[in-house]
Amino acid sequence: MSRTVICPGSFDPVTLGHVDIIKRASKMFDKVIVAVLVNMDKTPSFTIDERISFLEEALKEAKVSNIEIVGFDGLLADYAKKRGATAVVKGLRAVSDFEYEFQMALTNRKLNPEFDTVFLTADAQNMYLSSSIVRQVASLGGDISNFVPACLYDKIYERLKK
Ligand code: ADP
């Protein structure tokens, strides 16, 4: 049986932490749907088209091929059912991620009992990394080369630098 999972997020912008989790998920499952949130609570720094095209470039550079990148809006549990996905894969960074992720995982299972959540521990060197840290560091002129895929460095840095 073919196993499809979903990696959801805002990816504003994609970081090396995201790429690591998606790549590891792609090795464990047959197909990974990377679902990029279209409507976010906050106005994103990058448009949905930019966030998707950055992911395409980053995952090509990382040689991840069994993926599909889609814009996504609505209830993840419903979307999973529609796409026949069995689980969502999330990266857990620090303990601070845990409570929210636990709540989301239980809610998703309540909404769709077939839909499970798989947590992968973040790589040690990405434990502190988030899109918002990338945005902050770049906007202050700091070096983000350890945080974002090499092929995207210029595009992300130029855009965020004030
Ligand atoms: P961020 O918190 O960076 O704004 P997103 O909402 O785009 O990230 O993240 C989507 C998912 O990617 C998160 O729920 C988390 O599972 C995973 N993730 C984000 N950053 C990392 C990281 N540095 N290491 C591992 N997983 C991460």
Side-chain angles (χ1 to χ4, degrees):
M1 186 180 141
S2 167
R3 296 259 174 206
T4 297
V5 293
I6 303 181
C7 285
S10 36
F11 305 103
D12 186 37
V14 61
T15 68
L16 291 174
H18 296 131
V19 172
D20 175 55
I21 295 294
I22 296 167
K23 187 166 188 165
R24 283 157 60 195
S26 78
K27 288 180 185 161
M28 296 168 69
F29 298 98
D30 300 301
K31 180 173 177 180
V32 178
I33 298 174
V34 182
V36 187
L37 276 180
V38 176
N39 289 316
M40 295 163 48
D41 294 340
K42 285 185 297 178
T43 309
S45 295
F46 296 93
T47 66
I48 181 70
D49 291 343
E50 286 172 319
R51 286 179 280 138
I52 289 176
S53 89
F54 285 178
L55 273 159
E56 278 166 358
E57 275 187 64
L59 294 169
K60 195 169 158 195
E61 181 183 62
K63 299 191 169 42
V64 185
S65 55
N66 50 335
I67 44 153
E68 179 185 338
I69 303 166
V70 295
F72 162 77
D73 216 353
L75 219 46
L76 196 60
D78 289 345
Y79 185 67
K81 197 177 271 179
K82 195 170 99 187
R83 296 299 311 267
T86 48
V88 58
V89 175
K90 305 231 57 182
L92 269 190
R93 281 162 288 192
V95 184
S96 52
D97 276 349
F98 182 79
E99 194 163 348
Y100 175 73
E101 294 296 349
F102 197 73
Q103 190 181 13
M104 287 297 293
L106 290 178
T107 306
N108 280 330
R109 247 162 79 78
K110 197 83 184 162
L111 294 171
N112 174 358
E114 304 291 305
F115 191 43
D116 231 313
T117 301
V118 175
F119 291 113
L120 299 180
T121 44
D123 190 79
Q125 64 184 10
N126 298 326
M127 284 297 283
Y128 57 88
L129 184 54
S130 67
S131 297
S132 68
I133 284 287
V134 168
R135 295 196 300 271
Q136 268 180 47
V137 172
S139 73
L140 297 170
D143 180 6
I144 55 168
S145 59
N146 288 320
F147 307 154
V148 299
C151 61
L152 297 175
Y153 179 88
D154 288 341
K155 283 179 209 165
I156 292 176
Y157 186 75
E158 286 308 317
R159 172 70 103 71
L160 292 171
K161 193 181 59 165
K162 287 200 179 110

